[in-house]
Amino acid sequence: MYRRSTLVLCITLCSFVPARAATITVTSDSGGTGGPDCTLRDAITAANSDTATGGCTAGSGADVIELPDGVTITLTEEDNETDGTNGLPSVTSVLTINGNETTVRRDPAEATPNFRIFHVAAGGDLTLNDLTVSNGWACCLGSAGRGGGIWTVGELILTSST
């Protein structure tokens, strides 16, 4: 009887394999969506949903997005209207973005709609490393502007970022 209990316990505990983080490599400086390249918008969606999106591989648990070295990713349209207008999909998972001296910005052209760059939803956890975020618009809910670059109701860590 002792051996049987030990075996059941081992099968139960030994079969637990925690989700491993995926690294999603952005291969385009496009601010849009769709393949064959992996864009930042698609990479965030892939990380949030753990599903391959556009030209990006699927996320898996807490994910890392690697941006190309030193490029500028220009956003020309809003992605969603969660807590105001946002240029990128709301971060709803645990996500680290390694910027590698990249800039993510709202297009400065006059015709570009107003939106902030990043939104971290409740339960989301975003870490930005070595990234510049610029030209976002502090969109409004009620009478107060909320985050031109980033608005977070989740967790946010900035390291060597502007």
Side-chain angles (χ1 to χ4, degrees), residues 8-30:
V8 171
L9 178 62
C10 182
I11 290 172
T12 302
L13 294 177
C14 296
S15 65
F16 175 74
V17 178
R20 293 187 178 198
T23 298
I24 303 168
T25 302
V26 172
T27 57
S28 171
D29 63 0
S30 168

Side-chain angles (χ1 to χ4, degrees), residues 45-152:
T45 299
N48 283 336
S49 65
D50 291 342
T51 304
T53 305
C56 301
T57 58
S60 177
D63 298 308
V64 175
I65 293 175
E66 289 289 338
L67 297 181
D69 292 343
V71 301
T72 298
I73 297 172
T74 302
L75 307 174
T76 60
E77 60 189 9
E78 72 180 58
D79 182 85
N80 65 81
E81 295 184 0
T82 305
D83 291 332
T85 53
N86 304 296
L88 293 167
S90 294
V91 175
T92 60
S93 61
V94 178
L95 178 60
T96 298
I97 298 177
N98 291 327
N100 300 310
E101 298 182 6
T102 283
T103 297
V104 179
R105 69 178 187 151
R106 184 183 143 272
D107 191 333
E110 196 171 312
T112 303
N114 293 325
F115 53 81
R116 77 172 63 91
I117 308 302
F118 286 98
H119 175 262
V120 184
D125 186 328
L126 176 62
T127 299
L128 298 178
N129 296 320
D130 198 22
L131 182 71
T132 298
V133 178
S134 69
N135 204 37
W137 179 73
C139 56
C140 53
L141 281 175
S143 61
R146 294 188 175 192
I150 304 166
W151 177 254
T152 183

